[in-house]
Structure formats: C-alpha cells, structure tokens
Amino acid sequence: MAKTFINTLYLSALMMFLLVVSSGLPKVNGQPCLVFDGEGAEGVCFEGSGDGPCDASCKLLKSTVHVGKCEPEDGALHCHCYKPC
C-alpha cells in the first residue's frame, strides 16, 4: 500500500515537473515567442517613425494580439506583423 502511494506521488511530481518545464520553454529568455504573419499597411514605416504606427496597423488589420515591427527589407523599411506562438 505504501509502495503504491509513493509510486503515485513520484509519478505526479514527475508529471508536474514536465508540465512546468514544457510550458515555460518559449519564455525562458524573457522574449515573447512571435511568428511572422504577413505585411502590415504600406507607408507607415519611415526613418525615425519607430514601431508605433506599424504596431497599430497590425492590430487593426490582423488582431489585437498581433505585434508590428518596422524592419528593413529590400533597402526600405517595411511593416511586418507577428502573432504569438
């Protein structure tokens, strides 16, 4: 009876450990996990504009959980939309 209880306790602890480790892996370095999800609106990114207009564009065009970033592409700044993993 005691051996069964110990085995059950051990298995439960192991499962909890695996759950905590697996759910925390994408956030280990403190950076959110983001996946590219297309272009945002054209013309919102220009030198010195920051990511604010692009972020707003992605939230309007895609969804409120999307993040917009102005990134260089083909010699110009483009608005790229990212969604959480």
Side-chain angles (χ1 to χ4, degrees):
M1 173 97 173
K3 186 176 180 180
T4 304
F5 177 73
I6 291 173
N7 285 341
T8 304
L9 187 62
Y10 172 74
L11 183 61
S12 297
L14 180 63
M15 294 300 284
M16 288 296 281
F17 175 76
L18 290 175
L19 178 68
V20 168
V21 168
S22 65
S23 66
L25 283 179
K27 302 175 206 125
V28 165
N29 60 0
Q31 299 291 326
C33 176
L34 299 173
V35 177
F36 180 73
D37 193 30
E39 297 277 335
E42 291 185 29
V44 296
C45 292
F46 51 90
E47 196 66 38
S49 68
D51 292 332
C54 178
D55 188 48
S57 164
C58 290
K59 287 182 183 344
L60 286 172
L61 293 173
K62 306 284 185 176
S63 76
T64 57
V65 297
H66 279 73
V67 175
K69 296 184 179 194
C70 293
E71 298 175 324
E73 181 182 308
D74 300 331
L77 287 174
H78 287 254
C79 179
H80 293 156
C81 298
Y82 294 90
K83 65 181 176 181
C85 297

